[in-house]
Every structure is written in structure tokens, then in C-alpha cells.
Amino acid sequence: MSDQIVPDTQHRSLIERLPQLPRDLAQLARFDRPIGWWLLFWPCVFGVWLSGAGVQWQLLMWLLAGAIAMRGAGCVYNDIIDADLDKKVVRTAARPIASGRVSKRAAWAWLIALCMVGMIVLLQLRWQAQLVALGSLVLVAAYPYMKRITWWPQAWLGMVFNWGLLVGWTTLRPDAWDNWDAIACTYVGSICWVIGFDTIYALQDREDDALVGIKSSALRLGGKVHAGVAAFYAAAIGLWGLGIWLYRPDWIAVLALAPVALHLMWQVATLDPEDPENPLARFRSNRLAGALMAAACFVVGNAGS
């Protein structure tokens, strides 16, 4: 069984206990790798907490459920489209569709089931937020093709993964277009954050990607990966800071970014592209980076309320 478990799974023992089909479906939706839905969920929290509406636990739980379901759906869709490419990459060759353990017909059925969960979550939102959320579908549908046509598929992923920021904000702000400049800066800064951490993630596949013709920022940057990741993280902090200033022109509010800035600096300082384990560990540490940025958004959005 263990040879059917992908190398970067975080819950090997739990996955191995499942019968074959549930195990394959869980892997197909990446339920064994929760880092992905954390990274999709945190931008939703950014938008909710920047709105100044308080913690909003019930809404956050719905958005978390949506992040888990829609991240799973996105992974299933990605694996359907990329099955032939996945067969040629060591890290992805054991995926359920690429290995032939799950048919594409079964994968489409699983995709629809996950989307139905997402639809239930969508119905909990204001109609304006529903429209914003539906706007992400075009981005999601196009994403698997980006690695075939551009060296920067990470930028497209950044647009997809941070769409929840706009959804969270619109759900709680009837005056959503007020402060649009602050939200735009925060959104673009979050895209830079994703480019940085997904470049780190792509370091694992550089050799295989080059052989099969998959494009990535890690390959484009070559020997300048450290400088590239540092530049994107610096841009993220700068744009987040500008967004906060436009929203609340107070240096104390901007200082709320200090913890996440220090964490991103640590990632760059300790990144070792030649160590097989190091990039994956640094990538996963962005769960903490997202939490620190969410805390900063709460401070900025709710200060004085």
C-alpha cells in the first residue's frame, strides 16, 4: 500500500488504513495534505477580518468548509487535466488518476460531489458575494493550462487562491467598493505571497518539469531563486503595508505586519533549494504566515471598533 501514497502526504498512517477507493478519493482531493486548504482559507479570513465586523465564527466555519471542498475540487480537476503530465513526474506519478487506480469518469463524479458542498457554502453568502465567488470559476478552469503556456503559473494560482479575500470582504461590507484601493493592494500583495511560496514548492519538481516541458517560476528564476522569492515576499509586505495605510493611515496599524514580515524573512534566510526536505518544510510554514497576516488584518480592521 505504501507505494501508492504520495511522498508529501502528511497523514500517511491514516490514509493507509482506508479501503482502496476511499483512500484514492481522499488523495485525489488532497485531504491528506491540509496545507492547501489552509492557504485557500487564510485569504478568506483576511477579507472577513479587514471588514471590521469582528470574529464572525459562523461565517469563518462556512468559509473553511468551502475552502476544503473547493480546494479538493480544484485538485481533482487539475489531476484530470494533467493526468498525462503527472505520469512523467516522479512526485505525481502515483496520483490516483495518473496511476490508473481511479477512472476519469469516477473523478468527474467526485468533482461534482465536492462542488455541491461548495454550492451549499455559496448559498450562505450575500448575493453580491455569491457573484464575486462565481467569478473565480474562469480562473480555476484555466489554471491547469497555465503551466503549459507561461513560466509564471504561480501568478495565476495567486489570483485563484486569494479570491476568497474578495468574497470575505464583500460578504460583510455592503459598501464593498469603498476602500477598493486598499483591498486591491492587499489582494495583489497576497498574489505576490503566493508566487513566493509556490516557487518554493516548485523547487521539488525542477528536474522532472524541465524534462517533460512543464513551466514554473522555479525554473524561470534558475539560480536566482533566493533573490526571486525574497523580491516577491518583499513586494507582498510592501503592498500589504500600502493597503493597510490606505485603509487606516496609522503607523501602529502598519506595524501589525511585523510578525508576518519576520516569518517570511526567516523562510528566505533558511531556504535551501538543494535539500530535498527543506523547500517542502518552508512551503508548509506558510500556514503560520497566513495566520500571522490574518491576525494583522484583525488588528487593522477592528482597531477602535
Side-chain angles (χ1 to χ4, degrees):
M1 289 185 183
S2 61
D3 63 347
Q4 296 175 357
I5 307 297
V6 293
D8 56 344
T9 184
Q10 289 183 271
H11 299 290
R12 180 180 296 270
S13 61
L14 176 61
I15 291 295
E16 286 179 335
R17 292 190 182 99
L18 294 174
Q20 185 68 55
L21 182 58
R23 182 195 319 148
D24 287 335
L25 294 180
Q27 285 188 263
L28 196 54
R30 311 292 196 272
F31 290 159
D32 57 327
R33 285 176 280 172
I35 181 59
W37 50 259
W38 277 115
L39 295 174
L40 191 61
F41 172 64
W42 282 128
C44 300
V45 184
F46 300 170
V48 169
W49 283 356
L50 271 176
S51 73
V55 177
Q56 295 288 325
W57 285 115
Q58 183 176 359
L59 175 59
L60 291 182
M61 291 303 99
W62 279 116
L63 292 173
L64 177 60
I68 295 171
M70 296 315 295
R71 185 266 186 146
C75 289
V76 175
Y77 174 70
N78 187 78
D79 284 9
I80 291 171
I81 302 300
D82 282 352
D84 291 338
L85 288 177
D86 285 345
K87 294 175 184 178
K88 302 174 184 178
V89 177
V90 172
R91 187 178 59 82
T92 59
R95 286 178 174 173
I97 299 176
S99 65
R101 299 195 309 276
V102 173
S103 69
K104 288 190 176 181
R105 176 177 292 185
W108 278 111
W110 183 219
L111 171 61
I112 291 170
L114 291 166
C115 287
M116 292 305 295
V117 177
M119 179 63 68
I120 293 171
V121 174
L122 186 70
L123 294 175
Q124 312 308 310
L125 309 178
R126 294 172 62 240
W127 68 266
Q128 294 93 335
Q130 292 175 1
L131 293 178
V132 172
L134 290 172
S136 69
L137 294 180
V138 174
L139 296 175
V140 173
Y143 170 67
Y145 300 99
M146 291 300 108
K147 63 175 72 73
R148 295 165 169 84
I149 62 176
T150 175
W151 290 105
W152 299 98
Q154 283 72 21
W156 198 271
L157 183 69
M159 289 189 285
V160 173
F161 260 55
N162 289 293
W163 203 260
L165 188 159
L166 308 178
V167 174
W169 172 263
T170 307
T171 299
L172 293 169
R173 291 293 295 257
D175 56 341
W177 284 106
D178 289 356
N179 304 115
W180 67 268
D181 50 354
I183 297 304
C185 285
T186 307
Y187 176 67
V188 177
S190 298
I191 292 173
C192 293
W193 172 49
V194 172
I195 296 173
F197 71 60
D198 203 54
T199 297
I200 292 174
Y201 186 75
L203 289 171
Q204 301 172 95
D205 298 329
R206 282 182 300 178
E207 291 78 10
D208 287 337
D209 285 352
L211 287 173
V212 303
I214 296 175
K215 298 180 179 181
S216 75
S217 54
L219 284 173
R220 184 67 181 88
L221 290 169
K224 299 179 180 178
V225 167
H226 263 108
V229 172
F232 282 113
Y233 279 172
I237 294 299
L239 285 164
W240 284 339
L242 177 59
I244 288 173
W245 185 262
L246 291 171
Y247 185 66
R248 188 179 298 280
D250 182 340
W251 285 110
I252 301 299
V254 176
L255 285 175
L257 286 174
V260 65
L262 290 172
H263 177 80
L264 296 181
M265 290 170 60
W266 168 82
Q267 283 189 42
V268 173
T270 61
L271 178 63
D272 182 359
E274 306 307 320
D275 180 349
E277 302 295 329
N278 179 280
L280 183 58
R282 297 301 172 275
F283 165 74
R284 285 177 174 164
S285 74
N286 281 282
R287 177 167 52 185
L288 174 58
L292 294 172
M293 177 55 183
C297 290
F298 186 82
V299 170
V300 172
N302 294 277
S305 63

